[in-house]
Amino acid sequence: MRYFIRRFLFFLLTLWTAVTLNFIIPRLEPGDPAEDIVRRLAGQNKPIDPAQLHAIRLMLGIPGGNIFQQYIDYLNLLFHGQFGVSYTYFPYPVTTLIGQSIMWTVGLVLTTNIIGFIAGNLLGAFAAWKRNSIFDSFVSVGLSFVGTLPYMWIALVLLFIFAFQLQLLPMGGGFSETSTRQMSWGYTLDIMQHALLPALSILITGPIGWIMGMRNNMVQTLREDYTRLAIAKGLKPWKVALLYSARNAILPNVTGFAMSLGGIMGGVVLVESIFNYPGMGRLFFEAVGNRDYPLMQTILLFTIVGMLLANLLADFVVGLLDPRVRKGKN
């Protein structure tokens, strides 16, 4: 019980630190969102009218006063579940915008994370079991090179080949403009076609971390005495690989997978922006470009809280699976 209480207290401390940093960091960005809006309305070369600037501040609810008072007001609003109004999409609340985008990101990132985690761990376990083989060499060398390629570059290559040259898949967006936007097989197929290229750009490099991590962990567990004993007893190879070696090797990846699920709120910013995918990543990209502090802070806050909760859950699960963690021996 002390282990679980200690992890929960650490979660609360980390949450408070993250909320504080989430308040401070956006305010370090130079510029004023109210001035940007006035300049867009009046023109870049015209002087700013202080009355207009004050009216925009009041309309958007931009906080005033000293930084300490702003922090107190910020915590009070968070406690009451009020995240403010978007500067970019005024007068829509940021929760409305996030509600419209989050399902697109959940469908894309959750699916790719689950596929990548399962495929990555299976391939990593097979590479470790067949270590020093041709397949293991391909995994160690080839995938290490592919893993250095950024999402953005892979997304642009896929977009150029399959959408621009071959014209097999849509250029971007979440659905066709001519679609009925009513739940049907045709609309579902249209959504899947638009999500295919973003998903491929993530899946090409996404599982590599799971593959390499599982492979290295399982190579170590294959040298443990309990694995040698299982082999000496004459157990079938698949039982030794899955029930003895892989079962212990996958424990570190459980925490990583939980954190990747927790970060689903943030989406994949560059991939969603390149494909104009209507998810959380593109919404965050627009918020940063327009200095939309309420929207930016809310997306970051949801992302941080999601990652912390997922990490807390992973600590509990690992503590239940591995008694050595609870006793402080690992």
Side-chain angles (χ1 to χ4, degrees), residues 282-310:
R282 193 191 68 173
L283 192 64
F284 179 75
F285 185 81
E286 293 177 352
V288 173
N290 296 318
R291 297 187 180 91
D292 194 338
Y293 295 151
L295 184 57
M296 191 190 318
Q297 287 182 166
T298 305
I299 294 177
L300 285 174
L301 180 64
F302 283 8
T303 302
I304 293 170
V305 171
M307 294 184 67
L308 290 178
L309 288 174

Side-chain angles (χ1 to χ4, degrees), residues 75-288:
L75 293 180
N76 182 54
L77 291 174
L78 288 185
F79 182 77
H80 290 88
Q82 299 177 9
F83 300 99
V85 177
S86 172
Y87 298 165
T88 307
Y89 297 97
F90 182 85
Y92 291 102
V94 295
T95 51
T96 300
L97 299 174
I98 292 176
Q100 295 173 350
S101 302
I102 189 172
M103 295 310 300
W104 295 97
T105 295
V106 168
L108 175 65
V109 182
L110 179 62
T111 303
T112 53
N113 277 355
I114 292 176
I115 295 175
F117 179 77
I118 295 175
N121 282 287
L122 289 176
L123 291 175
F126 184 75
W129 185 256
K130 298 292 184 180
R131 59 189 182 279
N132 300 325
S133 63
I134 296 178
F135 180 79
D136 182 40
S137 300
F138 171 76
V139 168
S140 302
V141 179
L143 294 186
S144 297
F145 169 74
V146 176
T148 61
L149 303 177
Y151 284 145
M152 180 179 63
W153 185 83
I154 295 175
L156 291 174
V157 171
L158 292 176
L159 187 65
F160 177 76
I161 295 175
F162 293 101
F164 184 74
Q165 289 289 342
L166 302 179
Q167 298 183 357
L168 296 176
L169 295 171
M171 292 285 291
F175 49 84
S176 302
E177 296 181 357
T178 58
S179 61
T180 58
R181 303 187 187 182
Q182 296 179 354
M183 291 309 300
S184 61
W185 286 111
Y187 184 54
T188 303
L189 181 60
D190 184 52
I191 292 176
M192 294 176 62
Q193 288 178 341
H194 283 78
L196 186 57
L197 283 182
L200 284 177
S201 63
I202 298 174
L203 284 174
I204 287 177
T205 58
I208 294 178
W210 306 123
I211 295 174
M212 301 302 297
M214 186 63 179
R215 187 251 178 210
N216 295 334
N217 293 336
M218 189 164 170
V219 167
Q220 295 297 324
T221 58
L222 286 173
R223 299 171 181 170
E224 298 290 341
D225 293 338
Y226 58 84
T227 304
R228 297 176 183 270
L229 179 61
I231 297 175
K233 285 183 175 181
L235 296 180
K236 295 181 179 180
W238 69 268
K239 284 187 176 182
V240 177
L242 296 179
L243 301 182
Y244 285 80
S245 184
R247 179 181 178 181
N248 292 280
I250 201 174
L251 288 177
N253 283 359
V254 172
T255 303
F257 179 66
M259 295 187 66
S260 68
L261 291 181
I264 198 172
M265 290 288 188
V268 185
V269 177
L270 293 177
V271 171
E272 290 187 357
S273 299
I274 290 173
F275 291 101
N276 197 30
Y277 197 76
M280 296 282 287
R282 193 191 68 173
L283 192 64
F284 179 75
F285 185 81
E286 293 177 352
V288 173

Side-chain angles (χ1 to χ4, degrees), residues 32-43 53 56 59-60 62 86-88 90 290:
D32 185 350
E35 290 186 7
D36 292 342
I37 293 175
V38 172
R39 290 187 185 280
R40 286 199 298 266
L41 294 176
L53 187 62
I56 291 294
M59 180 182 68
L60 296 178
I62 297 178
S86 172
Y87 298 165
T88 307
F90 182 85
N290 296 318

Side-chain angles (χ1 to χ4, degrees), residues 307-322:
M307 294 184 67
L308 290 178
L309 288 174
N311 193 33
L312 179 65
L313 179 62
D315 287 339
F316 287 171
V317 171
V318 172
L320 293 174
L321 294 177
D322 193 348

